[in-house]
Amino acid sequence: SPAIRCLFVRGLSSGYADGTIRHGNDITRGQIAKMVSNAAGFDGDPGPQIYEDVDSTNTFYTWINRLSNLGFMGGYPCGTVDAEPCLPPGNRPYFRPFANATRGQLSKIVSNAAGITGTPTDVFYTDVQLDNPFYPWIIRLTNLEVRSGYDLGGPGEPCFRQNRHY
């Protein structure tokens, strides 16, 4: 696709070590950190370890720390789930670098990194209402035509009359 080619030409994505792109795969939080950080030109010192599950040996350490230090990405408090206990020193949060990212999370990260602000009040999507935690960022990107939703009847979207905007 043209969008994927653009990512490679600009050096924002490098694909996998075996030379594949795997465009049908979901994208992880770590992969997003790398692409957004590179696209925005963030190249500062990543600083000390922030997350319990992302140390300097993690493939995405540099990019995750850069975006986190800027406040564009965050983690999950330790103890949120049993597999992420609070450990000394400091009871660091967990980032979950290999967890799939949601479209809402991606909207927030991209909006913040690009400096997109404003107070949206529109509702374009049947599944993104004012109380959605990612509503402001999703709508900001929609207003700029950076992102769009699925057609009714797409993945997980029933084609019931109440879901139609006409």
Side-chain angles (χ1 to χ4, degrees):
S1 94
I4 293 172
R5 267 193 306 278
C6 179
L7 291 173
F8 280 87
V9 169
R10 295 190 60 210
L12 304 179
S13 181
S14 56
Y16 292 87
D18 65 2
T20 61
I21 297 171
R22 302 182 195 170
H23 64 277
N25 287 8
D26 292 330
I27 191 165
T28 68
R29 290 170 47 80
Q31 291 167 331
I32 285 175
K34 179 180 179 180
M35 285 190 278
V36 171
S37 185
N38 286 343
F42 300 142
D43 59 1
D45 179 3
Q49 181 176 350
I50 298 170
Y51 302 102
E52 190 63 42
D53 58 343
V54 182
D55 63 19
S56 60
T57 64
N58 184 288
T59 303
F60 301 106
Y61 174 82
T62 299
W63 300 289
I64 289 170
N65 268 29
R66 283 180 183 153
L67 289 183
S68 296
N69 284 326
L70 291 167
F72 298 155
M73 290 188 89
Y76 302 88
C78 65
T80 303
V81 296
D82 290 340
E84 298 172 348
C86 294
L87 303 171
N91 295 328
R92 291 183 181 118
Y94 288 77
F95 186 80
R96 303 176 188 166
F98 301 105
N100 291 337
T102 67
R103 288 168 51 94
Q105 290 170 339
L106 180 58
S107 295
K108 180 178 180 179
I109 296 161
V110 168
S111 292
N112 286 341
I116 299 169
T117 60
T119 307
T121 57
D122 301 326
V123 176
F124 293 103
Y125 308 110
T126 59
D127 60 343
V128 181
Q129 300 299 315
L130 295 172
D131 61 347
N132 183 299
F134 297 104
Y135 166 83
W137 298 281
I138 291 169
I139 302 305
R140 286 177 190 140
L141 292 181
T142 301
N143 285 335
L144 293 172
E145 297 181 6
V146 173
R147 68 160 292 154
S148 62
Y150 295 109
D151 291 333
L152 290 175
E157 297 296 320
C159 286
F160 298 127
R161 176 176 283 293
Q162 65 265 27
N163 289 345
R164 296 182 184 151
H165 295 285
Y166 52 87

